[in-house]
Amino acid sequence: MAFLHKLSKASSLAGASLIRRRSNVPENTVYGGPKPQTPNQRVTLNQLRQKYKKGEPITMVTAYDYPSAVHLDTAGIDICLVGDSASMVVHGHDTTLPITLDEMLVHCRAVARGAKRPLLVGDLPFGTYETSTSQAVDTAVRILKEGGMDAIKLEGGSPSRITAAKAIVEAGIAVIGHVGLTPQAISVLGGFRPQGKNVASAVKVVETAMALQEAGCFSVVLECVPAPVAAAATSALQIPTIGIGAGPFCSGQVLVYHDLLGMLQHPHHAKVTPKFCKQFARVGDVINKALLEYKEEVTNGSFPGPSHTPYKMNPKDVNGFSKELQRLGLDDAASAANEAAVEPEKMNMVNTGSN
């Protein structure tokens, strides 16, 4: 029986080794990190519709890269929007207009690699869907095929935009509409200004949202409108509304990852951080403190210490290495190698208080 147990164990180890060799995940000999997660099922439109029917709020966060997408995944956020606001938040522009489709696709692919659970939505950037319905459909197709997204979002409610939304839906692509403050239209709106503050503007927000629903959108973002306008639009529609600066009466809410975490406090970001955004943390302060501590420890020589110098040579190899360096006429390098081999031990003795 003991022999069979050993044989079984050996077979199991051999099988594990074979699996590792066949896997596209490299054997981890350098980096430490989280263990592989069991991916949850991707959020679907049907699941979102069920939440909406039950009156359960929908959560959406705008994110632009792999690390933030992983965080959204872990938190169980329903929808991850890869927004063209990356133009301002990530690329440092003053508006969303400069970002290109190719740049958006890079962000989309990074997010798709990190977020396995949320429904993934990619923004159509300015200048990629206004010319014709064919251009709009082509751009939306690229967002899905090349960006790995599940759906797209487009801004505005002009007749041409609604026609574009309808054409994209008819091409088999899910669409979120966007009304109220539409940042791509700042040249027409006169800047980043709230909408729906008078009767005519408020009615236009509701009518535009209804037109986008009629075009086949599965949801509509309401940005920077008064709460009564958002409440009216939410009541008038039979699809979820996602509010951003639109009060508590929407079917769900969206904020930008960097904004809600308080990631950045420099002058540019202060300029582009909206007043409606609640900071649920001040991560930027933590980052700044950590960077200052890193700079200080590098400057004073305390980093890296023994605990962060993990890779060792045995004394025999150090001696052989030193002799080879001397043979090459690199006496100073040989001395440096010998001192470096001894130094961590000295530091360990100091840190542990050993004699």
Side-chain angles (χ1 to χ4, degrees):
M1 290 293 291
F3 171 76
L4 290 175
H5 175 72
K6 289 180 180 179
L7 184 62
S8 174
K9 185 176 181 181
S11 176
S12 175
L13 290 171
S17 177
L18 183 61
I19 290 170
R20 185 169 61 231
R21 286 198 298 272
R22 288 178 177 173
S23 173
N24 63 353
V25 179
E27 184 177 358
N28 185 5
T29 57
V30 176
Y31 299 108
K35 300 298 182 186
Q37 297 175 332
T38 302
N40 292 320
Q41 185 179 359
R42 174 79 76 194
V43 172
T44 65
L45 293 187
N46 283 336
Q47 289 171 327
L48 292 176
R49 291 187 185 104
Q50 289 303 313
K51 291 194 76 166
Y52 169 67
K53 288 178 180 178
K54 295 176 182 177
E56 298 175 2
I58 295 168
T59 56
M60 179 192 286
V61 174
T62 302
Y64 315 107
D65 59 19
Y66 176 84
S68 56
V70 171
H71 286 151
L72 267 59
D73 212 44
T74 304
I77 299 298
D78 296 316
I79 305 173
C80 176
L81 171 65
V82 185
D84 62 353
S85 50
S87 178
M88 302 169 73
V89 178
V90 176
H91 295 271
H93 296 297
D94 290 328
T95 73
T96 64
L97 304 184
I99 197 164
T100 67
L101 177 57
D102 285 339
E103 288 171 329
M104 283 296 299
L105 289 171
V106 171
H107 290 293
C108 288
R109 286 191 289 267
V111 166
R113 285 189 285 268
K116 304 304 180 185
R117 181 188 180 277
L119 185 82
L120 302 180
V121 180
D123 253 339
L124 300 191
F126 178 72
T128 66
Y129 63 101
E130 297 88 345
T131 302
S132 67
T133 54
S134 295
Q135 184 200 35
V137 171
D138 288 346
T139 300
V141 167
R142 289 191 67 188
I143 291 287
L144 266 64
K145 290 187 71 172
E146 300 177 37
M149 298 289 99
D150 303 308
I152 65 95
K153 181 175 78 66
L154 57 74
E155 286 188 12
S158 66
S160 63
R161 304 277 178 112
I162 292 170
T163 300
K166 187 173 188 294
I168 294 169
V169 172
E170 289 176 350
I173 298 171
V175 177
I176 294 182
H178 183 157
V179 300
L181 170 59
T182 49
Q184 292 179 9
I186 58 169
S187 63
V188 176
L189 299 176
F192 296 105
R193 300 177 181 277
Q195 302 298 300
K197 294 182 70 175
N198 59 49
V199 173
S201 179
V203 170
K204 183 179 178 181
V205 168
V206 176
E207 288 181 339
T208 304
M210 294 177 69
L212 287 166
Q213 175 182 259
E214 183 66 23
C217 293
F218 73 88
S219 179
V220 174
V221 170
L222 304 174
E223 180 168 359
C224 293
V225 299
V229 178
T234 301
S235 176
L237 296 177
Q238 295 179 320
I239 57 174
T241 57
I242 307 296
I244 177 165
F249 303 108
C250 298
S251 313
Q253 298 291 329
V254 58
L255 286 176
V256 171
Y257 176 86
H258 296 68
D259 293 344
L260 73 90
L261 292 179
M263 286 280 284
L264 303 169
Q265 284 86 39
H266 61 76
H268 166 77
H269 198 260
K271 182 172 63 174
V272 301
T273 301
K275 65 175 66 175
F276 58 74
C277 182
K278 177 179 178 178
Q279 291 188 345
F280 290 82
R282 291 188 62 84
V283 174
D285 291 340
V286 177
I287 292 172
N288 291 337
K289 181 175 181 291
L291 288 172
L292 288 171
E293 290 179 2
Y294 165 73
K295 176 186 174 184
E296 175 63 23
E297 291 194 13
V298 171
T299 302
N300 66 29
S302 61
F303 176 83
S307 61
H308 296 103
T309 309
Y311 311 115
K312 311 295 183 186
M313 292 178 75
N314 64 51
K316 181 180 178 181
D317 285 331
V318 171
N319 186 50
F321 179 47
S322 178
K323 287 180 179 178
E324 282 297 310
L325 290 171
Q326 289 172 338
R327 186 181 65 80
L328 295 169
L330 301 173
D331 291 348
D332 289 344
S335 296
N338 286 324
E339 289 176 12
V342 173
E343 189 66 23
E345 299 303 323
K346 289 183 178 179
M347 293 180 68
N348 269 327
M349 292 175 68
V350 171
N351 291 337
T352 59
S354 302
N355 295 321

